[in-house]
Amino acid sequence: MNTRGGDDNTGPSIPHVPHPLHQPQGLRTIQAVRPLERHRMRMRLLDAVDEDRRDVDVLLTALQQAVAEVHGLGGMVHLPGGGMSGILYLVADSGLPESMTRPWLIIPARGTAPPSRAARNDTITWQPDLAPPDPVPGRDPAALWPSRLPAGIGHLAVPIPSDGRRRGALSVLFAPGAEPGAAERAFLNEVAAWMSGRLRSSGILNPSPTLLRALASGPGPRETAPRDADGMPSLMYTWDLRTGELTSDRPVEEVLSGIDPAVMNGGIEAWAALIHPDDLPGAVAGFDTGIQLRGGFQSEYRIRRQDGTYLWIEARARTITDEEETPVKVIGTLWDSSETHAAAESVGRALRHMSDGFVSLDTDWRIGFLNQAAERLFGAAGDVAGALFWNIPAVRAVPGLEQRCRATAAEGRPTEFDVPGPDGTSWYHLRLVPVPEGLTLYITDTTERHLREAERAAAERSAAERSALVQRITRELAEAVTAQDVMAAVADGVMTPLGATGLIMLGVVGDRLTVVGSRGYPERFTRLLDGHWTVRDTTNPVGDALRTRTPLCISSPEEFLKRYPGTEILIREGGRQAWAFLPLAVSGRGIGAAVIGFGRPRVLDDDERTLLTALSGLIAQALERAGLYDEATTRARTLQRSLLPQELPKLPEVTTAARYQPAKQGADVGGDWYDVIPLSAARVALVIGDVMGHGMAEAATMGALRTAVRTLSELELPPDEILSHLNDIVGELGTDAFATCLYGIYDPVTRRLSYASAGQPPPAVAHPDGTVTFLSMSPDPPLGVAAPPFETLETLLPADSLLALYSDGLVESKDRDVTTGMSRLAELLFQSVNAMPAPPSDASDLDALCATLTSALLPAHGALTDDAALLLARTHPLDAENVAEWPLPEDPVAAGQARDLVRAQLTDWDLADEDLIMTTELLVSELVGNVVRHACGPIRLRMLRSRALICEVSDASLTTPHIRHTSATDEGGRGLQLISALCQRWGTRHTHTGKSIWTEQPLPTASV
């Protein structure tokens, strides 16, 4: 317990209290006029101190007020001990560092120091120049006196009275040249009297033993287990506290050999004179503890024999009080404990000289003992003994040591750990062992072991780094699929660890070495090197490396020129100072080389050469796989391109553009597809689909489905029936085959889009006014798991609407869901469409829009996880002037009427070519005649002028006409053969009311 008010500071100086030479006039007037009022105010503050406060707190509060009032540097309070006469103890101090208070801890009551004279003579004592107090047995204050103290510090001591006898003294130190006046002395007297009254009212006359133990900087009395004295000669004694008389049950010399038998006659003073000076403070503290606590206590100390030697005694005692609880006697037992201490001293000597450091700390964390090895770390024993362990510089340099020590003492279990030394290069192993008296530290210098471990760890770390490097490069090379991927993996994994500044990969093409890729070299140099060397030419370093199948290392340009003359241009243009040529060979066949360049001359060590040898094999295998991959990629891309439309048809009804982006490069092609199919009556089918999965099988399935869609489209089936047939086809492929598809038919005459979907996201429509909407769709499952029928939906598209069909890969990714992607697509369509020129736009505009949408929606190259397809179509309705339609009677005269209507309409359309008119009349007449003869009405004739001249004859019959072979004697059956010969295309389309038979003829000129 720290009961002093000063800072715990070991420095030799004392705090400086500024004493201004010049003060403001107002302040000087106040101080001159009202000193008594200020004195009274401080005394009233002291009177307000609680009655239940401890004596030490009371003394410290009063001392602080006294020092502050008289402008002192600091102050002390000394009181006599309760059991030992002639000694004054420092019980409180304020404003003084520990180096100043240490000489004043114990002073003789009959000494010449101001506190001793003030207490003894009952008078205020002034000393103009501070000096050490007189010594006491075991303590020399002059040896503890701090250096570099300023000269002329004044020392004033005021007695603390009590019932006619002196209890102690209050001391204040003053700055050089500042002597207290009468008012200050009177105030200090008043404070001393207040202290005496408070101590008297408390009934406790002695300082705290814990305080004495701390001030003595040594081990004080501790509560320990009673020692068993059975079998040892012991002495029973009685100590009369009122007279100091000592009595015993037997002669003292019978128990303590060599002790003067007359010592008991001299009383307690004679006994105290025999106590070893070093043990006197602890013995006094033990006496005071037992007397104050009115109970039992135990102590151990040395006493002097008649021959001048010392023996150890151990004593147990208890305090006897009278009826008023006043201590009157001490009764105890003592015996000789020298044998135990002899063993302890032997252990102490062993500890003192052992190679490991040993430190013993008491319960207050002060150093009680340290051996020679520990002195080399913490300082000489004479300098640090009794010091607070945490104040030692070497201890403060170890982070967390205080917390570990406290935690170990609290847990009561030993612990050990390694810590770095204060010099930053050494290491120590600390073992902390809690003991009843505090904590012991065992310190072993482990610097050499740590150095060996560091070297071993460095070697293991270097090996691990090389292994990790090989593993990382192996993994990256295993993931590399193209030659450029191999190049990037080697450059990223090798150049930095080796400190290289350049890398060139060479591949064998025929007999020449061509540049596959480079890093860190200008293009001019790679062009110079490309094809410069041949494989079988051993006058170049690559040829040598391929011949020997071992890496070739060249440490400088001079060595390069010496071994391979005539390479000055390559050295100069490459700008490197050292090289490593790695041969790349697979199955005994050289496939290329990797050339690593360094920016300065360098000799590679054995570990680096071994690493390069291992890497050359890995790089060669990866480059071989990359070549095979490139071949497979070429085949896969060729297949995929052949399965997709080579070119979209140019139709007046729609302007189209499309984009397809596979998920990743290589043979792992995808199954997304799109198509634009011209239909009858100027209609157009727009298709987009996705076969789930990636690979050649999926690409083949995609090709089969696209072919099936085109075939079914030729049958003029509606969208829902086409999806039903596709569902059957996919279902026959197996349970693990799935596909999505959206099939739509745009009719430019009605401006209606009929569509059905199986698992595809809804198309987006950008209207002429700039708004973007998504078509309503029912969530039908994908083909292969769907249950027909599918639902066909219709929507009316305004003229020049922009329709966007897309696969889910365009709007969905690992970082974006479908809904967010569709919103982003709508936003991009809105921005792009409003920025495009007014319709009609040509295919180049839509192609640019495709590029804009895909670049904005799809991630960077190589990061796409799913195929993406996009089909854009701008609709162009057929104007009413290009459509003509008439009803015809169900009568043979209908054929003649049809011919007249055709001729008149063609003339009106400026299609007055007689051959075209006669051919069209013949076609229409034959179609109407077949309806009159074989079908039923109502009959209608429609003519369309679009990408071709289209004629349609509709009836209410569902019978589909077919061309058949006829014999020479057949009267009928030749009409459809005639129609097929006269027109470009013809066919039958079923409608809601029957069927339509249509023909298409090419227009002679651009007549639309």
Side-chain angles (χ1 to χ4, degrees), residues 365 388 390 401-411 432 439:
W365 304 106
L388 191 65
W390 323 125
L401 180 57
E402 179 178 354
Q403 290 78 4
R404 289 195 178 193
C405 290
R406 292 184 183 276
T408 301
E411 294 174 1
L432 311 180
L439 186 73

Side-chain angles (χ1 to χ4, degrees), residues 339-398:
E339 291 185 3
T340 303
H341 271 274
E345 289 175 0
S346 176
V347 173
R349 285 192 297 271
L351 290 174
R352 180 69 180 166
H353 298 286
M354 71 178 185
S355 59
D356 290 345
F358 177 82
V359 180
S360 174
L361 305 179
D362 62 19
T363 54
D364 295 325
W365 304 106
R366 295 186 179 273
I367 298 176
F369 174 82
L370 72 166
N371 65 358
Q372 293 177 350
E375 287 181 357
R376 290 192 290 269
L377 292 173
F378 304 125
D383 296 333
V384 300
L388 191 65
F389 190 54
W390 323 125
N391 290 342
I392 304 300
V395 177
R396 290 199 301 267
V398 181

Side-chain angles (χ1 to χ4, degrees), residues 192-324:
W194 183 88
M195 288 181 178
S196 177
R198 287 301 295 267
L199 290 174
R200 183 168 54 252
S201 63
S202 68
I204 300 177
L205 307 179
N206 300 299
S208 165
T210 306
L211 170 67
L212 298 179
R213 186 166 63 249
L215 297 180
S217 299
R222 293 179 176 84
E223 294 183 4
T224 58
R227 180 170 177 160
D228 186 3
D230 293 341
M232 296 183 183
S234 60
L235 177 73
M236 297 288 296
Y237 70 90
T238 301
W239 172 17
D240 190 328
L241 295 177
R242 291 169 295 188
T243 65
E245 181 182 359
L246 284 176
T247 59
S248 62
D249 63 342
R250 66 173 67 184
V252 67
E253 64 271 15
E254 293 182 5
V255 177
L256 307 176
S257 61
I259 299 300
D260 185 1
V263 67
M264 302 301 285
N265 299 330
I268 191 65
E269 296 293 338
W271 184 266
L274 296 181
I275 298 176
H276 193 287
D278 292 343
D279 300 339
L280 181 60
V284 172
F287 296 153
D288 287 339
T289 298
I291 294 172
Q292 287 189 55
L293 298 179
R294 276 72 165 173
F297 59 93
Q298 179 177 337
S299 61
E300 191 173 19
Y301 51 88
R302 290 168 290 180
I303 61 174
R304 188 176 66 252
R305 295 187 179 97
Q306 293 185 77
D307 59 2
T309 61
Y310 287 86
L311 60 84
W312 281 94
I313 66 170
E314 188 169 349
R316 298 177 187 169
R318 61 188 179 89
T319 303
I320 306 299
T321 61
D322 58 14
E323 295 178 355
E324 297 178 356

Side-chain angles (χ1 to χ4, degrees), residues 60 80 92 220 353 401 431 497 607 663 717 727 794 808 919 932 969:
L60 183 57
H353 298 286
L401 180 57
R431 176 173 171 79
D607 290 339
L717 298 178
N727 186 64
E794 284 192 358
D808 58 353
T919 301
V932 172
T969 60

